[in-house]
Amino acid sequence: MKTVLITGTSSGFGKLLTEQLSAKSQYQIIATMRNTNSTNKTVRRELEKLQNVEVLELDVTSEKEVKAITELVLQKHQSIDILINNAGVFGGGLLEAHSIEQVQKLFDINVYAPLRLMKAILPSMRKRQDGLIINLSSMLGLFSIPLNAVYCASKFALEALVTGSYGELIQKGVENILVEPGSFPTELYKKTGTKADLQEVTDSYDGMAEQMTEYANNAVYGAVQKHKPDPNAVINKIIGLIEMEKGTRPVRNPIDQISGETFAQKVADDISELAQTQMKAYGF
């Protein structure tokens, strides 16, 4: 039985993945989330009823908690075979209207948290010469758009950490890869998120931010209503990657039912090809 640790399982992709993996007898799922005894108490109890699911309290921004939980799981189950870095937070607003502290908060969850988990688990994976890390990125880790520059920057950073380290880790038997969803109807967009917090700066743009936000929200809502993207497609993608033979998993795995799978895959392939061309030019 393989041990799978998933972050951010209180809602969205994390919760769906926990539910669907629990139906497969070959996995022991460690479902982590914050506030298991308060705001997430109901979902904790719901997940605990599932087969082979253990729910643990974890704030991914806490170095102390990440270290304690990974040590606990390793002691109890001997290994963490698969890490799913799913926890994340959305953001929005004018770049100038974000305080540096607000940018740091968003990066702490979207960039430093997955890195914390990687660093905590990698020594045991390298020792066994085996392991899989799947990081939930976004198509907005490949493009940056107005009012989302800070969020996109966090996903760009995650993409860089994963793609840059792939060649380091695969030599130690560990695959570190990405899944890059487009827009799907999950709770991510409904939550408050970590948004621009300098209201006086936003106000100084004379209503431009509000107009652009309303336009963008309507456009995305219209696209979602038209194409009806199914979040289960992302879950199927992740499970498919888990079940692939070691060494055959692509580093980038885009999935976008709005722009289209062919286009999304072309973006990923083109970026990879351009990166290889650049590396060759420098003699690598």
Side-chain angles (χ1 to χ4, degrees):
M1 181 176 286
K2 291 189 174 183
T3 302
V4 184
L5 192 152
I6 310 173
T7 65
T9 59
S10 64
S11 62
F13 294 137
K15 183 171 183 286
L16 284 172
L17 183 59
T18 301
E19 291 170 342
Q20 294 197 28
L21 276 181
S22 72
K24 298 176 178 289
S25 60
Q26 66 266 44
Y27 301 113
Q28 171 63 51
I29 300 117
I30 311 299
T32 69
M33 66 181 78
R34 295 183 303 158
N35 306 319
T36 56
N37 293 313
S38 54
T39 53
N40 289 327
K41 181 166 62 175
T42 300
V43 69
R44 183 204 81 200
R45 290 174 175 171
E46 181 183 341
L47 293 181
E48 284 177 335
K49 293 178 182 178
L50 300 174
Q51 181 182 5
N52 298 325
V53 173
E54 179 181 357
V55 180
L56 295 177
E57 173 92 18
L58 176 61
D59 178 353
V60 293
T61 67
S62 168
E63 194 85 30
K64 182 179 178 181
E65 288 190 26
V66 167
K67 186 174 184 293
I69 288 299
T70 53
E71 287 180 352
L72 176 68
V73 175
L74 287 170
Q75 184 178 20
K76 182 175 181 179
H77 299 283
Q78 286 70 60
S79 68
I80 296 173
D81 302 283
I82 302 166
L83 166 64
I84 312 289
N85 274 321
N86 167 74
V89 64
F90 194 60
L94 298 164
L95 173 63
E96 186 187 354
H98 283 78
S99 68
I100 295 299
E101 292 76 17
Q102 196 76 334
V103 175
Q104 289 172 330
K105 286 180 183 177
L106 191 142
F107 267 64
D108 202 15
I109 298 172
N110 288 357
V111 182
Y112 300 134
L115 182 57
R116 280 188 196 97
L117 269 297
M118 288 181 207
K119 287 175 66 64
I121 292 171
L122 276 171
S124 65
M125 287 184 169
R126 286 190 293 104
K127 185 177 180 180
R128 293 183 295 107
Q129 293 281 297
D130 192 31
L132 172 62
I133 302 173
I134 298 178
N135 303 276
L136 267 290
S137 180
S138 169
M139 287 297 288
L140 291 182
L142 306 174
F143 302 99
S144 189
I145 60 176
L147 299 180
N148 289 105
V150 176
Y151 174 77
C152 293
S154 73
K155 293 302 184 180
F156 269 55
L158 180 61
E159 295 266 329
L161 289 174
V162 174
T163 56
S165 65
Y166 180 86
E168 303 167 1
L169 295 173
I170 194 65
Q171 299 180 64
K172 296 297 182 180
V174 180
E175 287 178 283
N176 193 22
I177 65 174
L178 294 153
V179 171
E180 300 137 320
S183 291
F184 285 85
T186 70
E187 290 86 346
L188 178 68
Y189 302 107
K190 299 177 184 178
K191 295 180 178 179
T192 304
T194 306
K195 299 180 180 180
D197 56 331
L198 301 178
Q199 189 59 46
E200 67 276 13
V201 176
T202 299
D203 292 343
S204 72
Y205 276 71
D206 301 320
M208 188 189 83
E210 289 80 2
Q211 292 172 15
M212 291 177 70
T213 299
E214 182 179 5
Y215 179 86
N217 288 344
N218 288 338
V220 173
Y221 178 78
V224 169
Q225 289 298 107
K226 177 182 178 180
H227 295 277
K228 300 188 186 319
D230 182 5
N232 284 300
V234 177
I235 306 308
N236 293 337
K237 170 78 80 172
I238 295 170
I239 293 175
L241 287 166
I242 289 173
E243 295 179 344
M244 286 178 71
E245 184 179 348
K246 182 177 177 177
T248 65
R249 301 176 178 101
V251 179
R252 283 191 167 96
N253 297 276
I255 176 163
D256 192 340
Q257 295 182 339
I258 293 178
S259 66
E261 300 299 348
T262 301
F263 169 78
Q265 190 61 54
K266 185 179 187 308
V267 172
D269 292 343
D270 285 353
I271 290 174
S272 296
E273 184 179 345
L274 290 169
Q276 290 170 13
T277 301
Q278 175 78 349
M279 294 295 284
K280 287 179 182 177
Y282 278 84
F284 290 92

